[in-house]
Amino acid sequence: MSLDEAAWAALRLSLWVAGWATLLSLPLALWVAWLLARGRFRGKGALNVAVHLPLVLPPVVTGYLLLVSFGRTAPLGRALDAVGVQLAFHWTGAVLAAIVMGFPLTVRAMRLAIEAVDPRLEAAAATLGAPGWAVFGRVTLPLIAPGILAGAVMGFAKAMGEFGATITFVANIPGQTQTLPSAIWTALQIPGGEGAALGMVALAVAVAVGAVALSEALARRVARRISGI
């Protein structure tokens, strides 16, 4: 079981991509989760389907759709390239792929947390004269904090393990777009590469265990703050 610089580079890129994907997706995921949990509007069912579509589509199909939408020859891709934003075959595209694939899991965790909050608590705060933003910030947000944390962890984990959409959209370029799952797959294609693959698998397991342990510690801390202990 051996690890070379390419393996460590793949791990660093995976952590970088997963971190950015989680950070960028959280605000939008929270808004969409709120719409699905509390909103009453035409097209809610269509929004729900669109959010969860990446869960049921083959990841390669999602990656291909991203490629034809944001590739350099696509109108949107050319427009972004004109302002200096490159997605296809670039690490930023890996972030986009991770966001798309992890978004349904993040939204679902947050939506369940929002639905678990008794609306009467929010109504009681509103009747005491608190504006809407204060009700959300002082009542709703603390109560759904564990759900937000769970969604962030699930999104991060999905981003760390994303393979199909990423390799289709940004390829597998060592040092540039090769994430840890892509590096493991590459090692398994080489005769005698099982040792390197096993080392990278151990890295992936260690990161996953660390993420779960950290989320559990943070969840307990949030629960203690909510209960006032």
Side-chain angles (χ1 to χ4, degrees):
M1 186 173 65
S2 60
L3 294 172
D4 56 12
E5 178 54 32
W8 291 109
L11 174 62
R12 289 192 295 269
L13 181 61
S14 291
L15 291 171
W16 181 256
V17 167
W20 273 110
T22 303
L23 183 64
L24 293 175
S25 65
L26 278 181
L28 179 60
L30 180 57
W31 179 57
V32 172
W34 183 269
L35 288 177
L36 293 177
R38 297 290 179 83
R40 295 182 180 180
F41 56 93
R42 184 175 299 177
K44 182 177 178 179
L47 175 62
N48 188 49
V49 170
V51 167
H52 291 89
L53 199 58
L55 286 180
V56 295
L57 281 177
V60 174
V61 173
T62 302
Y64 176 74
L65 292 175
L66 289 174
L67 186 60
V68 298
S69 300
F70 296 98
R72 293 182 178 179
T73 59
L76 186 54
R78 289 198 302 268
L80 291 173
D81 193 55
V83 296
V85 178
Q86 182 181 346
L87 293 176
F89 309 108
H90 195 265
W91 71 267
T92 52
V95 173
L96 178 59
I99 289 174
V100 172
M101 296 302 296
F103 196 73
L105 300 176
T106 305
V107 169
R108 185 163 183 81
M110 294 182 182
R111 178 182 179 179
L112 292 175
I114 294 171
E115 290 176 341
V117 175
D118 190 345
R120 290 175 296 182
L121 295 175
E122 299 164 321
T127 58
L128 294 175
W133 62 267
V135 172
F136 180 80
R138 298 176 182 177
V139 178
T140 310
L141 190 59
L143 293 175
I144 66 174
I148 294 176
L149 180 59
V153 172
M154 295 179 71
F156 181 85
K158 180 62 177 176
M160 281 293 298
E162 168 50 34
F163 173 71
T166 301
I167 200 171
T168 305
F169 185 36
V170 301
N172 184 20
I173 308 171
Q176 298 183 41
T177 64
Q178 187 179 74
T179 58
L180 193 59
S182 300
I184 294 172
W185 178 83
T186 300
L188 292 174
Q189 308 310 304
I190 303 172
E194 291 82 3
L198 183 59
M200 288 184 285
V201 167
L203 279 179
V205 171
V207 171
V209 171
V212 171
L214 178 61
S215 69
E216 287 295 324
L218 291 175
R220 287 194 295 269
R221 184 174 180 179
V222 169
R224 286 196 298 269
R225 291 188 63 180
I226 294 175
S227 61
I229 298 176

